[in-house]
């Protein structure tokens, strides 16, 4: 299906059978039905087993049983992260295949998981920075080149104005002879945007710059369609803007800069270092990692009904994170965090999101910074070259310094700010209120008083982050409604 | 008196054994026995200092909150006293007429009013008295969950867990004159949210102090913020950091002083306390009038509610203007800025801090 990607996988086989019980020899081995997921997790695979056989497909909703039962343990993970990391899903008896593994379901229905790819280890020392920098540049070019269509085909790329997307569009410009357009998103003149920077990148590269203006009414009208298109619920406020961008592009390849932060020493490393140094010690670091998502990790106790809270647990999730954080496979903290980030944010969050939303509109998202070979190379770069002093993504920036304006290389990470706070305290407040107080309340999971305080802006705290929490819960409501879930 | 658990409003005679007749829970205080406040009032102070259980706080913050509460109560009493004096004066005026009895009542009223005013002078809350109240409250109701409890650090040294740590640095640092201010910021995740190291100037926290200080030196663009009490040493801290080679002396950094200064005392009337004798050799960190005030008085940062301390620091960080070229006027070494901010309206407590 995609012979130019780094790791062709037999997607066509299971995509064609998505939502159907297996009846033919697809993925059949002598031991049973084999479901395989690529190393980094570009493609999602979900499955469940019932009397009819093995149901599998790229979307959890697509294989869901009739009136499936909510898995409260995974609800805790969703609230903590805004996505569901791990092979347990939000539905009981429905599972995800982990990146870099294959699951063989025997004729008796037993599922056995085997690993097909291991995260590489990382050295602590290095000999030649220049050689590593050149190797990284070659790796970046290779990862982009292998994703390019034929030279005469038009290519699109998103550009936010940050380093990652800018370097990808610069490499595409350099390596692709055909037409290229850079696309950005803005939310109207009343909200801050990064168009000054994204525009300067496009101008520097001589690439046409197209800006998709997204209005709050677009968000409300496309919300349910977006959530239905997702592989699994994802409470990131960028889902709908991503969906609308893919819709606007309408087909072909769309390059993005996803992966730069998790793989090359992005800004989330510093809070974890500070937590290790100043917080409650290494024992509490797993909780710190979840807290760093800045979602609802600390709100679960006060937001959920008592009986629901008592039945959910993130202990297992914290154990998994704790194993990464104490592993001797990676000598430094930055390396360990990269390992967690590749697994969690790559395979369970970012890649499933862009891949499923792209597929909805016939767009092939190209995430070269999450290329398997490039990720393997990133693991060979010691932490102190990923982050030098306080400089984030040091070697990545040095590897592409000649391609971009200095102002883009030197600017601190900003991130695309979806204006959820003003939307939900302004024009979308009524819409959100109706969906949470009438819709989500129906599932009897959350304290109504807390939901009321949330939508009315009465939850306190130093950084209440109401908008992002409302978005996360709206996503949950929409998805539970779409699959007609029930809560035991 | 209301129970903080069941809200049952009971009479003294019904509170047998100091317990609520509604739910049986014990009260910590009994105003009939000369306690200065009720359990509900003490809990209200905790709710205020914690911004309704959203912010972590230290007992020193609670002490000032209770102090404010007692001051407000005394203010009300004084106001009542003045009203009685006024009424007495009015009656005396009426006594110009032959109504002699009015003159007697008026005179008595004035005496009673003066007595009430003199007995309700602005109170102070000594540390020992607060400790006694806090111990009784926690004995009855447990330690509030938002109170900062300093625990001994568990586990191995950070650099044993992560040997690469010393290679890295951070964007910002907050240096505090007191360990408890470090605890306040860390407990409220300020470091986590703002990519910001937090250290006590005198070596706190011990397990990480030298590690973090050496990490900070790896960032030539480090932004430094200083938080301190209005004391001689506190107001001189930013200057000390800018010149001491163990800190940032010889580096060309901007150091922003966000701490308390004598000018802030007017927003916390009556809460300044006598200054401690200043150690020898502390440089003057203020103007001449400031130093005159500091030699006699001090104002602790804990007088400011925790949420306001954090918000002021956050504002100072996010509103920091970009440095111009040659920003420090060509003087070699770090440059000290006093963060002004604006002074909002005060509720007699913390909202006035910038």
């Amino acid at each position: 299906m995609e012979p130019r990607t780094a790791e062709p996988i037999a997607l066509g086989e299971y995509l064609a059978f998505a939502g159907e019980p297996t009846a033919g020899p697809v993925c059949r081995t002598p031991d049973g039905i084999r479901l395989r997921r690529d190393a980094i997790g570009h493609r999602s695979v979900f499955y469940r087993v019932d009397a009819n056989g093995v149901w599998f497909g790229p979307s959890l909703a697509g294989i869901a049983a009739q009136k499936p039962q909510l898995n409260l343990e995974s609800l805790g993970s969703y609230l903590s992260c805004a996505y569901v990391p791990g092979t347990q899903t939000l539905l009981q008896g429905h599972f995800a295949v982990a990146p870099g593994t294959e699951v063989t379901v025997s004729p008796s229905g037993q599922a056995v998981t085997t690993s097909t790819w291991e995260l590489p280890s990382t050295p602590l020392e290095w000999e030649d920075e220049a050689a590593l920098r050149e190797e990284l540049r070659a790796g970046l070019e290779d990862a982009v080149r292998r994703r390019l269509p034929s030279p005469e085909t038009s290519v699109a790329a998103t550009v936010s104005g940050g380093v990652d997307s800018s370097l990808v569009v610069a490499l595409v410009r350099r390596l692709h002879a055909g037409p290229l357009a850079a696309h950005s998103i803005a939310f109207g003149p009343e909200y801050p945007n990064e168009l000054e920077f994204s525009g300067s990148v496009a101008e520097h590269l001589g690439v046409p710059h197209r800006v998709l203006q997204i209005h709050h009414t677009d968000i409300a009208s496309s919300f349910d369609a977006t959530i239905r298109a997702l592989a699994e619920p994802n409470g990131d406020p960028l889902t709908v803007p991503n969906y609308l961008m893919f819709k606007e592009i309408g087909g072909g390849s769309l390059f993005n800069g996803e992966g730069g932060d998790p793989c090359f020493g992005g800004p989330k490393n510093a809070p974890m270092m500070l937590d290790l140094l100043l917080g409650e010690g290494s024992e509490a670091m797993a909780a710190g990692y979840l807290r760093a998502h800045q979602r609802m990790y600390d709100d679960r106790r006060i937001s959920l009904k008592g009986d629901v809270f008592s039945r959910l647990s993130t202990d297992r999730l914290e154990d998994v994170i704790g194993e990464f954080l104490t592993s001797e496979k990676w000598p430094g903290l930055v390396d360990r965090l990269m390992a967690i980030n590749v697994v969690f944010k790559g395979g369970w969050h970012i890649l499933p999101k862009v891949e499923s939303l792209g597929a909805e509109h016939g767009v092939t998202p190209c995430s070269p910074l999450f290329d398997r070979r490039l990720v393997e190379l990133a693991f060979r770069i010691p932490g102190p070259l990923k982050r030098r002093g306080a400089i984030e993504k040091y070697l990545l920036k040095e590897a592409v310094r000649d391609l971009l304006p200095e102002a883009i290389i030197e600017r601190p990470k900003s991130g695309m700010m979806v204006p959820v706070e003003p939307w939900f305290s302004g024009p979308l407040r009524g819409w959100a209120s109706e969906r949470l107080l009438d819709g989500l309340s129906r599932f009897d999971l959350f304290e109504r008083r807390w939901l009321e305080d949330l939508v009315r802006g009465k939850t306190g705290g130093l950084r209440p982050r109401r908008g992002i929490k409302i978005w996360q819960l709206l996503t949950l409501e929409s998805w539970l409604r779409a699959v007609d879930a029930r809560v035991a | 008196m209301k129970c903080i658990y069941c809200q049952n409003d009971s009479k003294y005679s019904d509170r047998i054994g100091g317990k609520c007749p509604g739910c049986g829970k014990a009260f910590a205080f009994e105003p009939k026995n000369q306690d200065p406040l009720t359990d509900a009032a003490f809990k209200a102070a905790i709710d205020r200092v914690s911004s309704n259980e959203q912010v972590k706080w230290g007992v020193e913050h609670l002490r000032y909150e209770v102090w404010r509460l007692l001051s407000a109560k005394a203010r009300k009493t004084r106001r009542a006293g003045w009203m009685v004096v006024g009424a007495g004066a009015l009656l005396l005026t009426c006594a110009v007429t032959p109504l002699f009895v009015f003159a007697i009542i008026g005179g008595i009223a004035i005496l009673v009013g003066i007595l009430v005013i003199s007995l309700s002078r602005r109170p102070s809350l000594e540390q020992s008295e607060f400790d006694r109240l806090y111990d009784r409250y926690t004995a009855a109701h447990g330690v509030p969950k938002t109170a900062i409890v300093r625990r001994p650090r568990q586990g191995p040294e950070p650099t044993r867990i992560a040997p690469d740590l010393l290679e890295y640095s951070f964007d910002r640092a907050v240096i505090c004159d007191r360990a408890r201010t470090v605890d306040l910021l860390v407990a409220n995740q300020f470091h986590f949210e703002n990519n910001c190291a937090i250290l006590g100037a005198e070596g706190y926290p011990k397990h990480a102090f030298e590690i973090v200080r050496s990490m900070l030196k790896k960032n030539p663009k480090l932004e430094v913020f200083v938080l301190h009490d209005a004391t001689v040493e506190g107001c001189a801290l930013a200057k000390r950091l800018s010149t001491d080679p163990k800190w940032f002396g010889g580096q060309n950094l901007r150091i922003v002083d966000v701490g308390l200064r004598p000018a802030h005392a007017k927003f916390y009337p009556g809460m300044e306390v006598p200054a401690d004798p200043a150690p020898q050799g502390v440089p003057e960190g203020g103007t001449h009038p400031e130093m005159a005030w500091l030699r006699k008085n001090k104002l602790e940062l804990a007088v400011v509610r925790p949420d306001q301390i954090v918000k002021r620091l956050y504002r100072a960080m996010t509103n920091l203007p970009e440095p111009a070229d040659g920003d420090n006027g060509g003087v070699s070494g770090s440059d000290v800025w006093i963060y002004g901010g604006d002074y909002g309206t005060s509720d007699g407590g913390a909202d006035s801090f910038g």
Side-chain angles (χ1 to χ4, degrees), chain A residues 270-271 273-279 281-282 288 291-292 294 331-334 336 383-384 387 389-390 460-461 463 465, chain B residues 54-55 153 158 161-165 167-171 186 188-189 191-193 195-198 207-208 211 215 219 307:
Chain A
M273 289 176 204
L274 287 161
D275 202 41
L276 174 61
L277 288 160
L278 303 174
S282 55
R291 191 169 283 124
Q294 299 184 341
L333 181 61
V334 167
R336 290 175 205 151
R387 179 184 177 92
R463 304 281 296 274
R465 295 199 176 90
Chain B
Q54 299 289 330
V55 179
R153 170 91 176 187
I161 299 167
D164 56 336
L165 273 179
E167 301 284 342
Y168 309 122
S169 190
F170 306 106
D171 293 339
V186 170
N188 284 297
Q189 305 287 325
H191 61 303
F192 209 68
E193 298 269 359
N195 185 10
C196 177
I198 301 166
H207 70 273
I211 299 170
M215 291 172 78
N219 183 5
D307 69 315

Side-chain angles (χ1 to χ4, degrees), chain B residues 267-285:
Chain B
F267 297 100
Y268 307 93
M271 291 188 162
E272 68 275 21
V273 291
D276 304 321
Q280 292 293 314
V282 176
E284 294 203 345

Side-chain angles (χ1 to χ4, degrees), chain A residues 7 34-39 97-104 112-120 329 343:
Chain A
E7 192 178 12
R34 193 184 69 195
L35 307 170
R36 183 166 182 266
R37 196 165 174 210
D38 63 292
V97 179
T101 68
E102 59 184 32
V103 174
T104 303
V112 176
T113 301
T114 51
S115 175
T116 58
W117 185 75
E118 292 284 339
L119 293 168
K329 184 172 180 179
V343 173

Side-chain angles (χ1 to χ4, degrees), chain A residues 48 50 60-69 91-92 94 483-484:
Chain A
R48 70 180 171 90
D50 69 9
L60 179 57
I63 63 146
Q66 292 280 315
K67 294 192 176 299
Q69 193 160 311
L91 300 179
Q92 282 190 17
H94 297 62
V483 299
D484 198 15

